[in-house]
Amino acid sequence: MTEFHDNSPEAAGLRLSRRGFLSGAAALTVAAALARPNFAFAQDAQFCASLGWTVWESGRHIVAGYEDAVKKLGGTLTIADANYDVKKQADQIAAFVASKPAAIFITPADAAAIAPAVQAAVASGIPIFCGDSYVPNTTVTSTAMSNNFGLGAYGAQYIVDRLKGKGKVALVSLPSNESWDQRTLGAKSVFLRNPDIQVVSEIAFALGGTTTPRQVVDNILTANPDLNAIWCAWDGAASEGTLAIKASGRDVFITGIDGGQQSFEYIQAGSPFALTLAQSFYEMAYMNAFYAHEVIAGRKAPRFVITPSYAVTQESLANIEIPDTYDQPGEAAKIGWNRAL
């Protein structure tokens, strides 16, 4: 049952890095364990999940990953949604610690800000599993997340290649979460090595503020009449930026990070939205729950699992239905997608 409370770019281009291998090995471990008869899982364990958000497609996939894993592997699950409120999430974590569950799952909206709450949770002795972001200055049991630096570098390299090494670029960054900020650092590492790429604007977006991503991109376009491309730290900005570019009639393309139906529809239609790096949110959550069961059973969990990300363009979406389950283990291969990171 589920209860809802509070409602180097070179590395980025590798098909199979060491971390990628570890993630693939982890997925194979899951598959092998589930196929093994009489493989014991904790049927009566109580799990709690404090999620930084459940909105957007990423949130929906995260919730589904936790729910499906607990339904399949056993136990009960209580989910609390912090809705990007740091204090609320810290309070949720403290309340969950007091309830003494078998494990706590955490998707941080602001990992640095909730670090003290996570430190206290770790100190309680309860196994703690993080998804989407690592929490600085803590030693949780396991973290499943994307290669955020690589995601940023990959999108930037795509822009450099498409512009043939010369052009004017703007960035819409998302520094509120340390892991999300790594994407911007990855992008800058690429642009800095290409001196004929001019970064003419960078706007740091604040979630929960009064300015929308659409307004940010409108302002960038107005201030930079010779702009060629916009790199965005997440798909919300890329999607709204697509609308701004179309309204302007400008020949500008835009890239994002996250993946999901809306992004895929824009890309498939040949809009200015040219590339997204689609993350495996479902698999992040599922891996957390799977390894929680492993730890309860006295087995080991990997400290880090780097879940797959896929470079999605109009070409990779040609002649297929928009996929919604690509981030479930094994599903991307069925549509011919190979992990980019």
Side-chain angles (χ1 to χ4, degrees):
M1 65 182 280
T2 302
E3 301 171 6
F4 281 87
H5 294 189
D6 296 44
N7 296 335
S8 80
E10 292 83 3
L14 289 176
R15 289 293 178 190
L16 191 62
S17 64
R18 180 175 180 272
R19 285 185 171 180
F21 173 79
L22 290 175
S23 175
L28 290 173
T29 298
V30 174
L34 294 177
R36 210 178 304 163
N38 303 318
F39 193 79
F41 290 103
Q43 298 299 316
D44 299 323
Q46 295 181 339
F47 301 105
C48 296
S50 175
L51 307 184
W53 72 97
T54 60
V55 295
W56 321 121
E57 292 183 69
S58 59
R60 177 171 62 84
H61 283 226
I62 288 169
V63 170
Y66 284 125
E67 289 184 331
D68 288 358
V70 171
K71 182 178 179 180
K72 180 160 190 156
L73 304 177
T76 60
L77 175 65
T78 299
I79 294 179
D81 178 6
N83 195 27
Y84 296 108
D85 186 320
V86 172
K87 184 179 184 306
K88 179 183 284 188
Q89 186 161 33
D91 290 343
Q92 288 170 356
I93 294 168
F96 284 156
V97 169
S99 71
K100 298 181 179 179
I104 297 175
F105 309 132
I106 301 171
T107 301
D110 186 333
I114 66 165
V118 177
Q119 289 169 350
V122 171
S124 76
I126 297 170
I128 307 298
F129 297 82
C130 289
D132 186 60
S133 176
Y134 70 92
V135 178
N137 303 314
T138 64
T139 306
V140 302
T141 305
S142 184
T143 297
M145 60 184 289
S146 301
N147 174 355
N148 283 284
F149 188 94
L151 293 175
Y154 195 107
Q157 189 63 53
Y158 173 88
I159 290 173
V160 170
D161 292 344
R162 182 160 165 172
L163 295 178
K164 298 182 179 178
K166 186 173 184 178
K168 295 183 178 181
V169 176
L171 282 72
V172 182
S173 61
L174 194 63
S176 56
N177 180 304
E178 186 171 349
S179 289
W180 300 341
D181 195 40
Q182 290 290 317
R183 303 173 188 176
T184 304
L185 297 178
K188 288 181 176 179
S189 75
V190 172
F191 293 140
L192 284 170
R193 288 197 291 274
N194 290 272
D196 289 330
I197 295 291
Q198 295 178 259
V199 178
V200 296
S201 177
E202 180 185 352
I203 296 182
F205 186 80
L207 290 169
T210 57
T211 303
T212 67
R214 169 69 186 266
Q215 291 169 325
V216 168
V217 177
D218 277 330
N219 292 338
I220 289 173
L221 292 168
T222 300
N224 299 280
D226 298 326
L227 191 69
N228 300 114
I230 303 174
W231 177 96
C232 296
W234 81 110
D235 277 359
S239 294
E240 292 194 33
T242 296
L243 301 178
I245 294 168
K246 291 178 72 174
S248 73
R250 301 267 295 276
D251 183 18
V252 175
F253 67 94
I254 195 166
T255 68
I257 295 169
D258 279 337
Q261 288 183 303
Q262 183 184 57
S263 305
F264 297 160
E265 287 171 0
Y266 280 140
I267 293 170
Q268 189 180 59
S271 74
F273 198 159
L275 168 81
T276 186
L277 278 302
Q279 301 185 76
S280 295
F281 294 107
Y282 180 100
E283 188 168 343
M284 292 177 197
Y286 202 103
M287 286 293 186
N288 277 175
F290 174 82
Y291 281 114
H293 279 84
E294 289 286 274
V295 169
I296 291 169
R299 294 182 285 269
K300 293 182 178 180
R303 186 71 65 192
F304 276 95
V305 177
I306 302 302
T307 51
S309 297
Y310 304 94
V312 180
T313 61
Q314 188 179 29
E315 182 180 5
S316 60
L317 289 168
N319 303 315
I320 64 171
E321 293 185 9
I322 297 296
D324 190 48
T325 60
Y326 74 90
D327 61 343
Q328 297 182 17
E331 291 298 306
K334 294 178 182 179
I335 56 175
W337 288 7
N338 296 311
R339 66 182 296 165
L341 295 163

